[in-house]
Amino acid sequence: MDYGALIEKAQEAMKNAYVKYSNFRVGAALLAKSGKVYTGCNIENSSYGATICAERVAFVKAISEGEKEFEAIAVASDLKDFTYPCGICRQFMSEWGLDIKLITKSGEKIRIHTIGELLPEAFVDF
Ligand code: THU
């Protein structure tokens, strides 16, 4: 799957975001090495800390379905600028591979980073 199409799936996933508190929609589309795509959106909670980000929703859906290897994750949001994952998501995703690509778009520009680039000197294992 090309990364433009993966971004479109992330944008589509934003529609299901539950953003009662921030009104800020995020969508993610995670491409597993199996070829399957798992989408996620942010799901907020009245106890703010219980909110889960779009990226982690996509990962937990995939992992709970038996996926273990991932190629790329696209992230989209209400921002006009590029959307980057929060620190908790960077740590969460690093568990599954520092080579996983993070795709983000602003206007017509697409940026591709590895999770390793977004989390330098990562704590990966002990
Ligand atoms: N959020 C995400 O879903 N992903 C990110 O990478 C950054 C933040 C969500 C969490 C919360 O629902 C809203 O965006 C505002 O922080």
Side-chain angles (χ1 to χ4, degrees):
M1 156 164 301
D2 76 72
Y3 293 153
L6 201 60
I7 283 277
E8 280 175 22
K9 286 189 183 291
Q11 289 168 336
E12 177 78 19
M14 285 171 60
K15 290 181 186 154
N16 293 325
Y18 176 74
V19 291
K20 189 171 176 182
Y21 305 98
S22 73
N23 199 33
F24 180 72
R25 292 175 183 276
V26 185
L30 174 63
L31 176 61
K33 286 198 176 161
S34 65
K36 280 178 85 172
V37 174
Y38 298 83
T39 58
C41 59
N42 51 335
I43 303 170
E44 299 187 341
N45 190 272
S46 58
S47 174
Y48 292 3
T51 292
I52 181 164
C53 294
E55 297 91 326
R56 280 177 287 143
V57 170
F59 267 90
V60 298
K61 282 171 69 179
I63 295 158
S64 64
E65 295 294 323
E67 300 284 3
K68 289 186 171 59
E69 295 192 314
F70 304 99
E71 182 184 323
I73 183 166
V75 186
S77 78
D78 284 328
L79 286 178
K80 285 212 173 76
D81 202 356
F82 297 97
T83 304
Y84 283 98
C86 77
I88 293 174
C89 287
R90 291 178 198 215
Q91 176 62 34
F92 189 96
M93 294 189 287
S94 75
E95 183 82 17
W96 301 92
L98 295 174
D99 291 337
I100 298 168
K101 294 181 192 73
L102 185 293
I103 321 295
T104 179
K105 189 177 182 187
S106 174
E108 289 312 303
K109 292 182 197 150
I110 286 184
R111 286 187 187 164
I112 303 174
H113 305 270
T114 64
I115 300 301
E117 286 166 0
L118 297 178
L119 192 68
E121 311 296 344
F123 178 70
V124 224
D125 215 341
F126 53 88

